[in-house]
Amino acid sequence: MSLLDGKSTLIIGASQGIGAAAARHFAAEGARLVIGARNVEAIEALRDELRGQGHEIDAIRVDVTERPTVDAAVQRARDLYGRLDAAFNNAGANALSPFHEYDEKTYDHLLDVNLKGVFLAMQSEIRAMLADGGGAIVNTSSVGGLVGNYGLAPYIAAKHGVIGLTKAAAFEYGQQNIRVNVIAPGATATEMFLGGMAHAPAELAAKFNAFSPMNRIGRPLEIATAAAWLLSDQATYVTGATLPVDGGAVGA
Ligand code: NAP
């Protein structure tokens, strides 16, 4: 049996990077998927790719700052597959500025996407899981949810908050068969990270490699596999946990 065999699974933030890698990996592990993001063209292309390989998958526009779109994605999974077993709340956005120069609009946007978006998604998913007898949720924080760094203040605040939301929900729904965990990826080779690095000096890339005792950044699939395990029935006694997936950057 595969890790996510038959599980009705929602991935939010699946149009590229870690979320797209998760869609491919979860499908290969037997999940029945609904994938969401704002870039409809990208998620529909991914849907078609995976359908072409025989997987059960649908795609729907989701903007985590718009509650009705989140509710619609959860409902789509229940309509298609009868229930929602698993959800990966992976949408995220980033910016770079000295702390004292961040404008308020950027702060609000980063908190909206990275923190409130996770809150809205969890509310909708938990309501469905309560109605359907349980499930598992994984949120995406960051090593920036565990330690500070330069230029990322609102992102760091939001990602710390994602760990807080995870703990609160794990505590509150532990007896309703709902597990809630959070992964904290380190620097990972996605559009978000590489896009930022494209404007950065070469020494900075070397610095990021050096953060990890493994002296390299992560691959999107290496993050997705951790999320899959936490969502699976191999992790039935794991809830409220923060799992760094960072090549030892924070823990070693
Ligand atoms: P990415 O390539 O930029 O992908 C981000 C994903 O989030 C995209 O699918 C994007 O889709 C989606 N998204 C952004 N805003 C959204 C919104 N308002 N509503 C719905 N979806 C939205 O970044 P990534 O590196 O794969 O990041 C995935 C997650 O990992 C994020 O939470 C990020 O903070 C976290 N993370 C990344 C790294 C890293 O080094 N890459 C490290 C630590 C943590 P659309 O634009 O199509 O909406």
Side-chain angles (χ1 to χ4, degrees):
M1 213 162 97
S2 310
L3 204 56
L4 299 172
D5 225 11
K7 282 196 188 294
S8 166
T9 304
L10 172 63
I11 305 174
I12 299 181
S15 60
Q16 57 181 38
I18 292 166
R24 293 188 177 99
H25 178 63
F26 292 8
E29 289 293 343
R32 297 182 293 172
L33 290 173
V34 172
I35 57 172
R38 292 166 307 168
N39 184 342
V40 172
E41 210 178 307
I43 53 171
E44 288 186 347
L46 184 53
R47 174 199 65 193
D48 293 346
E49 172 195 320
L50 291 172
R51 271 190 189 160
Q53 297 167 11
H55 299 295
E56 284 186 80
I57 178 167
D58 202 3
I60 182 169
R61 180 187 171 276
V62 175
D63 184 331
V64 286
T65 67
E66 298 169 12
R67 188 196 283 278
T69 70
V70 175
D71 290 344
V74 170
Q75 196 49 48
R76 179 71 60 87
R78 295 176 86 200
D79 290 345
L80 284 173
Y81 310 128
R83 51 177 287 120
L84 180 69
D85 294 301
F88 183 32
N89 297 319
N90 173 71
N94 210 340
L96 203 58
S97 164
F99 192 116
H100 64 283
E101 287 173 9
Y102 262 105
D103 64 89
E104 211 174 314
K105 221 172 131 193
T106 306
Y107 177 90
D108 288 343
H109 173 68
L110 293 177
L111 270 286
D112 273 354
V113 174
N114 291 309
L115 184 58
K116 190 176 172 190
V118 172
F119 177 69
L120 295 179
M122 288 173 74
Q123 279 196 316
S124 190
E125 292 153 4
I126 288 167
R127 284 181 196 134
M129 288 172 181
L130 285 171
D132 299 340
I137 295 172
V138 169
N139 298 318
T140 305
S141 176
S142 166
V143 291
L146 296 166
V147 295
N149 207 334
Y150 292 105
L152 299 167
Y155 180 82
I156 284 172
K159 292 296 189 180
H160 274 73
V162 170
I163 293 175
L165 289 177
T166 302
K167 289 181 179 178
F171 202 93
E172 208 161 323
Y173 301 103
Q175 292 178 38
Q176 271 91 24
N177 195 30
I178 299 174
R179 296 185 301 105
V180 191
N181 292 290
V182 55
I183 55 170
T188 306
T190 66
E191 288 80 349
M192 176 186 280
F193 179 78
L194 298 174
M197 292 306 292
H199 308 289
E203 313 87 75
L204 198 59
K207 247 186 197 164
F208 270 106
N209 288 337
F211 278 153
S212 157
M214 297 174 78
N215 197 36
R216 67 171 177 84
I217 65 170
R219 294 183 284 271
L221 178 61
E222 292 177 304
I223 314 301
T225 52
W229 179 76
L230 284 167
L231 289 172
S232 81
D233 293 340
Q234 297 291 310
T236 47
Y237 199 49
V238 184
T239 195
T242 304
L243 178 61
V245 191
D246 64 352
V250 168

